[in-house]
Amino acid sequence: MTAQILDGRTLARTLRAQLKSSVQGRLAAGQRPPGLAVILVGNDPASEIYVRLKRRDCDELGYHSNIQHLSENISQEDLEERIVVLNEDPTIDGILVQIPLPPHIDGHRIIDRIDPTKDVDGFHPYNIGRLVLRRPALRPGTPKGIMQLLEQTGVAIRGLDATIIGASNHVGRPMGLELLLAGCTVTTAHKFSKDAREAARSADIVVSAVGKPGLVKGDWIKPGAIVVDVGITRDDAGKLHGDVVFDEAAEIASWITPVPGGVGPMTRVAMLQNTLLAASDKPA
């Protein structure tokens, strides 16, 4: 069996065109464009690239953007005050704080400071709690993007067995909640699991979000399974690698995401979808 490719770039391009059309519709109706604020603390090279891409996304789709590049020495209090100001800014619908943050910054406190109705990353406890209670509002971006990718397979996933490898607050845990909401039976394997391979081997859907290149080998995959690779690691030569040994898994799976070009573009577009959703729930 040779897996079909779940192409995040192509789907994201289609969804971006839909977002652009929606923004144009807002403007034609006399409404303001959606507004996104992005805060970058310090000079992490990967973060700088991501923020530059988010600015470009806003420019291309007609969003208003407010990009703030702050010193890595900013205090906890000053950073929180920046967020308070953005919470009160009527032109801003979404607030995104780029991670990682410097060690002296308490990231949990920063997330808690963001107005939940502007939390377009979907990380605020309020938004996670809504997902837990099956009343989702702004959903975490990567799981939201993955669910849209799964729709592209045409496979009815209700009742399927899903295994998530990795239990991070940003991906693994909310991914499990999304799949539960879709009617899957969900297993989460993590660093304390006795046999992550066996948990994956029995699953119809495998989502790996660890950041360990080559972790998921071909013999971890059930024949015909859908494989979603969230892990992304850059080696010394600058090449990107996923968690999954792609060539091996692609011979066994029915669908598989590439790295790069699979989940990444969908995470970005999900954040833009959340920003438009947040804007739509506010007065013009």
Side-chain angles (χ1 to χ4, degrees):
M1 179 180 296
T2 301
Q4 298 183 74
I5 301 299
L6 272 174
D7 185 347
R9 286 196 179 111
T10 298
L11 178 56
R13 192 177 303 119
T14 298
L15 296 174
R16 286 161 61 91
Q18 294 173 2
L19 289 171
K20 185 173 183 178
S21 177
S22 295
V23 172
Q24 290 171 344
R26 284 179 60 87
L27 298 177
Q31 297 176 305
R32 61 173 177 78
L36 175 66
V38 181
I39 295 177
L40 171 62
V41 181
N43 299 295
D44 178 74
S47 293
E48 290 180 349
I49 292 172
Y50 295 146
V51 170
R52 187 161 61 247
L53 290 172
K54 286 162 186 168
R55 183 198 294 271
R56 188 180 73 185
D57 288 339
C58 288
D59 291 344
E60 290 180 355
L61 272 60
Y63 287 45
H64 162 62
S65 65
N66 180 336
I67 310 296
Q68 301 187 22
H69 192 168
L70 309 177
S71 167
E72 65 181 353
N73 297 318
I74 191 171
S75 69
Q76 180 85 31
E77 293 72 22
D78 287 347
L79 182 53
E80 289 184 25
E81 181 57 32
R82 293 264 185 165
I83 292 171
V84 170
V85 171
L86 291 170
N87 284 340
E88 297 171 353
D89 187 338
T91 70
I92 296 298
D93 304 293
I95 301 171
L96 187 153
V97 179
Q98 186 67 42
I99 54 176
L101 290 164
H104 70 280
I105 298 293
D106 183 339
H108 296 299
R109 280 176 54 187
I110 296 303
I111 291 172
D112 290 350
R113 275 291 189 181
I114 298 172
D115 180 342
T117 67
K118 295 188 176 188
D119 167 41
V120 292
D121 261 339
F123 295 160
H124 193 283
Y126 173 85
N127 286 317
I128 295 293
R130 289 285 299 253
L131 188 56
V132 169
L133 295 175
R134 296 179 289 184
R135 297 169 55 200
L138 294 175
R139 306 162 100 126
T142 297
K144 178 175 181 173
I146 290 170
M147 295 306 293
Q148 292 177 89
L149 275 173
L150 291 176
E151 290 176 7
Q152 297 302 298
T153 67
V155 176
I157 68 172
R158 179 178 295 176
L160 297 186
D161 295 325
T163 292
I164 300 149
I165 307 171
S168 71
N169 288 343
H170 295 164
V171 181
R173 293 172 189 266
M175 188 72 245
L177 295 171
E178 286 282 4
L179 288 166
L180 276 173
L181 191 60
C184 294
T185 300
V186 179
T187 298
T188 300
H190 45 76
K191 62 183 178 181
F192 301 118
S193 297
K194 292 181 179 179
D195 195 341
R197 174 188 175 276
E198 186 59 31
R201 175 71 183 172
S202 63
D204 304 301
I205 302 169
V206 176
V207 180
S208 186
V210 178
K212 184 176 180 181
L215 172 68
V216 180
K217 299 174 174 58
D219 63 1
W220 287 44
I221 306 302
K222 175 182 178 179
I226 301 170
V227 178
V228 179
D229 192 350
V230 185
I232 186 163
T233 306
R234 192 180 298 273
D235 64 21
D236 293 340
K239 184 178 180 181
L240 296 175
H241 300 271
D243 291 347
V244 178
V245 181
F246 182 88
D247 291 344
E248 294 181 7
E251 289 300 316
I252 301 165
S254 59
W255 292 86
I256 190 169
T257 61
V259 175
V263 173
M266 293 303 300
T267 298
R268 282 171 53 201
V269 84
M271 180 270 299
L272 294 164
Q273 289 172 326
N274 278 347
T275 304
L276 180 60
L277 177 63
S280 300
D281 288 339
K282 296 184 178 69

